[in-house]
């Protein structure tokens, strides 16, 4: 069907383009994905792979955001127009529209009406996953027309406005644009996601309720990496706070948190209370309290010195000790359960010096601090045992076996409590 759309005409390099808007429902109906084109079979394996849509990611991440979040927003789509020989653009100047002198013809020549005959084929060069997500969000069904679990169809999305950048079909140019746009589109880092993700409620709580409110923002490293160099003035890292929060929420709820959408307000409020209470007690570990006593620049050197003299302050060990608290406090029989305050008290009675031989093979490996999930888990189990965690005979045998592997030639020491 023929249509006329308000548009802006521009150029970038040798490419003429038109910027216009379309309602999401119309945009979904108008677009043709590359896999539906006749030349699909002629594409190289790499090009086919790049153009394949990951429908699982669309259904579990992008579509729920578009369907459920009132503050939803997506970027512009780059679309090529095929069979567009009769597509015409008429500027406002060509149409004889008169403008004030302050608006020169050179500018108004760029604004006008784009006329489409109706036989054009629109192919997204960038935005296939967003296109599929719009369709899923509007219909509530996946690419096989099956209902999407956990997604409520939102027909209102069809009335949302999409920004579209149209270019005329040119096979070589289209391939070049597609490949360059996708090749150099750098995926966001984990740190970036923790800073910007609004569907991951643990990330939201970390930003809004922990950093700044409980741990001063200037003492949290937010860049790439989970470690702090010797000269770092920060107390911990964004990733460390987040990972601890994630484990606390999972332990106290008994379920793996769904990070693809915000929970009900009352559930989010409960999670906030749980994490705020945990951090308030956890930060009473003496090296932590001392590190945070003066959050200003005057306290930077003290933080550096404390981290140098106490393994407990290393970010990875912060995660280990959080795991220890959960081991001794959550999912434990009432007669064996310890309060967080009691666990912290016991932690404060332990020598966390790097020179303490007890940590060789546990928190220190080959003169370096441990890293990796398996090392973290072993250290947490060992320290929980040291702090008085009751173990069944089979559990004790397993710990002794792990200890002999990680600390060859030594026997498992007696518990400290």
């Amino acid at each position: 069907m023929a249509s006329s759309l308000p548009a802006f005409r521009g150029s970038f390099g040798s490419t003429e383009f038109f910027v216009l808007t379309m309602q999401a429902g119309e945009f979904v109906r108008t677009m043709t994905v590359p896999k539906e084109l006749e030349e699909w079979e002629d594409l190289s394996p790499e090009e086919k792979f790049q153009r394949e849509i990951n429908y699982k990611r669309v259904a579990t991440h992008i579509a729920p955001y578009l369907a459920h979040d009132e503050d939803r927003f997506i970027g512009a789509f780059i679309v090529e127009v095929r069979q567009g020989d009769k597509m015409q653009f008429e500027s406002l100047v060509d149409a004889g529209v008169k403008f004030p002198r302050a608006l020169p013809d050179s500018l108004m020549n760029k604004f006008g009406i784009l006329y489409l005959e109706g036989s054009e084929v629109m192919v997204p060069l960038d935005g296939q996953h967003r296109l599929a997500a719009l369709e899923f969000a509007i219909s509530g069904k996946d690419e096989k027309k099956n209902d999407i679990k956990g997604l409520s169809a939102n027909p209102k999305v069809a009335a949302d406005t999409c920004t579209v950048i149209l270019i005329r079909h040119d096979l070589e140019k289209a391939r070049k644009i597609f490949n360059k746009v996708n090749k150099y589109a750098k995926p966001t880092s984990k740190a970036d996601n923790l800073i910007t993700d609004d569907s991951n409620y643990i990330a939201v709580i970390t930003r809004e309720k922990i950093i700044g409110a409980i741990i001063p923002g200037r003492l949290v490293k937010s860049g790439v990496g989970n470690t702090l160099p010797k000269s770092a003035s920060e107390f911990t890292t964004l990733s460390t706070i987040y990972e601890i929060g994630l484990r606390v929420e999972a332990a106290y709820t008994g379920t793996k948190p769904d990070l693809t959408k915000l929970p009900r307000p009352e559930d989010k409020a409960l999670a906030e209370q749980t994490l705020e209470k945990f951090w308030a007690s956890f930060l009473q570990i003496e090296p932590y309290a001392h590190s945070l006593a003066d959050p200003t620049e005057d306290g930077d050197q003290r933080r550096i010195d404390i981290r140098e003299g106490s393994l407990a302050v290393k970010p990875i060990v912060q995660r280990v000790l959080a795991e220890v608290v959960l081991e001794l406090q959550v999912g434990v029989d009432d007669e064996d359960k310890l309060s967080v305050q009691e666990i912290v008290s016991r932690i404060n009675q332990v020598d966390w010096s790097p020179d303490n031989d007890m940590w060789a093979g546990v928190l220190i490996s080959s003169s370096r601090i441990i890293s990796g999930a398996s090392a973290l888990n072993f250290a947490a189990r060992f320290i929980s045992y040291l702090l008085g965690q009751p173990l069944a005979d089979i559990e004790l045998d397993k710990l002794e076996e792990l200890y002999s592997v990680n600390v060859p030639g030594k026997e498992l020491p007696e518990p400290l409590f």
Side-chain angles (χ1 to χ4, degrees):
M1 188 176 82
S3 59
S4 53
L5 301 168
F8 168 87
R9 178 175 59 185
S11 62
F12 199 97
S14 63
T15 303
E16 179 187 48
F17 64 87
F18 303 93
V19 180
L20 50 90
T21 61
M22 299 174 69
Q23 286 191 314
E26 179 186 3
F27 180 72
V28 168
R29 291 190 296 271
T30 304
M31 293 300 112
T32 300
V33 297
K35 194 170 184 178
E36 298 171 359
L37 297 174
E38 290 183 1
E39 74 245 26
W40 173 259
E41 294 302 325
D42 296 329
L43 296 178
S44 69
E46 180 182 8
E47 288 176 317
K48 283 186 177 181
F49 175 78
Q50 289 174 324
R51 287 165 170 79
E52 288 283 2
I53 298 176
N54 184 338
Y55 286 110
K56 181 179 180 181
R57 181 165 72 90
V58 172
T60 58
H61 295 285
I62 312 175
Y65 163 69
L66 295 178
H68 302 155
D69 196 327
E70 289 295 322
D71 297 323
R72 58 186 175 268
F73 189 84
I74 54 177
F77 294 85
I78 302 177
V79 174
E80 77 161 347
V81 182
R82 300 189 173 203
Q83 299 175 197
D85 294 342
K86 296 183 179 180
M87 182 178 75
Q88 294 183 352
F89 176 79
E90 182 181 28
S91 73
L92 296 180
V93 173
D94 293 338
V97 178
K98 298 296 183 181
F99 301 98
R101 293 181 180 179
L103 297 175
D105 288 355
S106 59
L107 173 64
M108 302 318 298
N109 265 318
K110 297 179 180 179
F111 293 90
I113 303 297
L114 187 66
Y115 297 98
L116 302 175
E117 184 187 50
S119 60
E120 295 85 359
V121 176
M122 306 286 193
V123 182
L125 297 181
D126 177 55
Q128 288 189 97
H129 287 82
R130 285 171 283 147
L131 170 63
L134 285 172
E135 186 173 6
F136 287 11
I138 294 169
S139 67
K141 297 183 181 297
D142 63 17
E143 76 283 3
K144 297 179 181 178
K145 305 307 176 186
N146 296 322
D147 291 338
I148 300 174
K149 184 178 180 181
L151 189 149
S152 300
N154 187 354
K156 292 181 180 180
V157 174
D160 287 346
T161 302
C162 293
T163 303
V164 183
I165 302 173
L166 294 182
I167 64 171
R168 297 181 187 275
H169 173 60
D170 179 301
L171 182 58
E172 290 306 314
K173 185 176 291 187
R175 287 188 174 186
K176 185 180 294 185
I177 290 174
F178 177 87
N179 290 326
K180 294 300 182 183
V181 166
N182 286 277
K183 179 178 180 179
Y184 296 116
K186 182 181 178 181
T188 54
S189 68
K190 179 180 179 180
D192 292 334
N193 292 335
L194 294 182
I195 293 171
T196 61
D197 194 344
D198 288 325
S199 59
N200 181 335
Y201 74 102
I202 300 299
V204 172
I205 294 173
T206 297
R207 298 193 306 262
E208 295 181 353
K209 300 297 182 180
I210 309 303
I211 298 175
I214 296 178
I215 303 175
R218 73 173 299 269
L219 303 188
V220 179
K221 177 186 175 184
S222 58
V224 178
N226 302 323
T227 61
L228 293 174
K230 288 185 177 181
S231 60
S233 60
E234 295 92 348
F235 164 68
T236 190
T237 70
L238 172 64
S239 179
T240 299
I241 299 174
Y242 169 76
E243 293 294 345
I244 289 175
L246 192 60
R247 281 292 300 125
V248 171
E249 174 71 354
Y252 278 95
T253 62
T255 60
K256 183 178 179 180
D258 182 354
L259 306 178
T260 63
K261 59 184 178 181
L262 289 176
R264 297 179 303 170
E266 56 268 33
D267 292 334
K268 181 171 180 283
L270 180 60
E272 289 175 354
Q273 294 174 11
T274 298
L275 292 178
E276 288 173 333
K277 183 177 179 181
F278 176 87
W279 280 103
S281 298
F282 188 62
L283 292 177
Q284 294 307 306
I285 293 175
E286 288 181 356
Y288 301 171
H290 295 162
S291 295
L292 299 173
D294 182 359
T296 69
E297 291 183 6
D298 293 337
D300 287 351
Q301 187 57 51
R302 187 183 189 195
R303 270 180 290 282
I304 294 172
D305 294 341
I306 291 173
R307 189 169 59 249
E308 180 71 17
S310 174
L311 292 173
V313 189
K314 304 289 187 181
I316 184 67
V317 183
Q318 292 173 10
R319 290 180 58 187
V320 168
L321 293 184
E323 196 68 36
V324 168
V325 172
L326 297 176
E327 283 279 342
L328 298 175
Q329 217 273 322
V330 181
V332 179
D333 293 338
D334 288 340
E335 63 269 20
D336 297 324
K337 183 177 295 186
L338 299 175
S339 68
V340 177
Q341 291 75 14
E342 173 59 26
I343 299 168
V344 169
S345 174
R346 294 187 181 187
I347 290 173
N348 286 337
Q349 298 176 57
V350 175
D351 177 10
W352 297 101
S353 168
D355 297 328
N356 186 346
D357 190 54
M358 182 166 59
W359 305 126
V362 178
L363 296 179
I364 298 176
S365 178
S366 301
S367 301
R368 297 172 64 90
I369 197 72
I370 61 167
S371 62
S374 59
L376 186 155
N377 292 333
F378 166 65
R381 292 180 64 181
F382 174 73
I383 295 172
S384 297
Y385 158 80
L386 285 182
L387 298 186
Q389 180 184 38
L391 295 178
D393 289 343
I394 189 171
E395 294 173 322
L396 184 59
D397 290 342
K398 181 63 175 177
L399 180 60
E400 288 176 338
E401 179 182 343
L402 282 173
Y403 188 82
S404 66
V405 171
N406 286 274
V407 191
K410 287 189 178 182
E411 293 185 359
L412 185 69
E414 292 295 319
L416 300 177
F417 298 90

